[in-house]
Amino acid sequence: AAFRVTADEALDLPGVLWTSHYCDLEPKARKIYDELEAAFYSAVEEGEITAANALVKLIRLHQIASGHIIYDGESSPTTVSRHKYDALIDVLQDLDEPVVCFTRFTADLRMIEEAADQLGRRYAEVSGRKKELDDDARFPKDVDILGVNIQAGGVGVDLTRARVAIYVSCGFNLGEFEQSAKRLDRPGQTKKVLYIRLITNHTIDDVIYH
């Protein structure tokens, strides 16, 4: 016989709290976002868009919601708004403890690293090009802020040294999102976990988290 037991039934963990920190695009970026969104809806209504094109446009909207965009013909992102950087600084200033910052985009990781440097905090990263964890795949003790790409650090790592995670951005993949959250809320965690979502008002951020 086999018995199925869920993590909630088997584990006695301290609990979690979810909260959101809202911020607004700067006027220039708001204009870019609104124009791109209007063009996207128009193309959908007129049947001029494929699933692949739709995905590309959704990613661009999401990039702008984080404050950057990669223009056609360019390989590097251009910063169009600093609203999430400012929001991240505001949140981190009130946290004198290890913090994990999850994100979808490489440009966001650079933003997190800049914020850590601005605040004099030690930074490390888990991404497609770096995996700066200790030998047991844990949050290093000599690091204050760990920037984590959700796809690269959503499974197989132990981040229970931190009790706070900030979601700078995240995609539509619910499995990746839930797995990333479980990197903190798992055996070894002794404190109540706080998850903070940075959400750009009136953008695709709202849709994704909904």
Side-chain angles (χ1 to χ4, degrees):
F3 298 91
R4 180 177 181 273
V5 180
T6 67
D8 289 339
E9 294 170 330
L11 302 177
D12 184 19
L13 294 170
V16 301
L17 174 65
W18 287 90
T19 186
S20 298
H21 185 98
Y22 291 90
C23 48
D24 292 299
L25 282 167
E26 295 169 9
K28 177 184 175 182
R30 180 82 257 173
K31 185 174 184 292
I32 295 172
Y33 185 95
D34 290 344
E35 289 175 351
L36 184 59
E37 184 180 50
F40 173 61
Y41 285 142
S42 177
V44 170
E45 290 173 359
E46 295 175 12
E48 299 175 351
I49 196 163
T50 65
N53 286 340
L55 181 59
V56 170
K57 292 183 183 299
L58 286 172
I59 290 174
R60 284 195 171 183
L61 286 173
H62 198 194
Q63 288 172 332
I64 298 169
S66 272
H68 53 85
I69 188 173
I70 299 178
Y71 289 108
D72 290 338
E74 296 184 2
S75 58
S76 300
T78 297
T79 299
V80 293
S81 179
R82 298 280 282 176
H83 69 293
K84 274 202 175 176
Y85 175 81
D86 293 338
L88 182 61
I89 289 287
D90 285 344
V91 173
L92 288 173
Q93 282 178 330
D94 294 330
L95 296 170
D96 185 20
E97 59 185 290
V99 178
V100 178
C101 292
F102 288 112
T103 185
R104 180 185 187 186
F105 301 114
T106 300
D108 288 344
L109 289 171
R110 302 287 68 78
M111 178 179 69
I112 296 164
E113 184 176 15
E114 181 185 350
D117 184 63
Q118 172 69 24
L119 296 172
R121 312 275 179 90
R122 296 167 297 179
Y123 175 82
E125 183 174 308
V126 178
S127 63
R129 62 192 186 94
K130 294 182 179 180
K131 199 163 186 177
E132 298 173 326
L133 300 167
D134 69 16
D135 293 339
D136 296 317
R138 296 174 182 267
F139 192 134
K141 292 182 179 179
D142 60 348
V143 169
D144 303 309
I145 297 174
L146 186 66
V148 180
N149 175 275
I150 291 179
Q151 290 181 311
V155 295
V157 298
D158 182 344
L159 305 180
T160 54
R161 178 169 170 258
R163 68 162 194 98
V164 179
I166 301 172
Y167 281 87
V168 178
S169 63
C170 97
F172 282 103
N173 190 314
L174 180 60
E176 287 180 355
F177 178 70
E178 291 179 334
Q179 282 297 321
S180 66
K182 286 299 182 182
R183 297 312 92 208
L184 283 76
D185 182 34
R186 54 174 287 160
Q189 184 56 261
T190 60
K191 300 177 181 177
K192 189 170 186 175
V193 179
L194 172 63
Y195 299 103
I196 305 170
R197 295 166 291 217
L198 298 188
I199 299 178
T200 305
N201 281 313
H202 311 300
T203 68
I204 196 171
D205 277 358
D206 293 305
V207 178
I208 289 172
Y209 284 115
H210 180 71

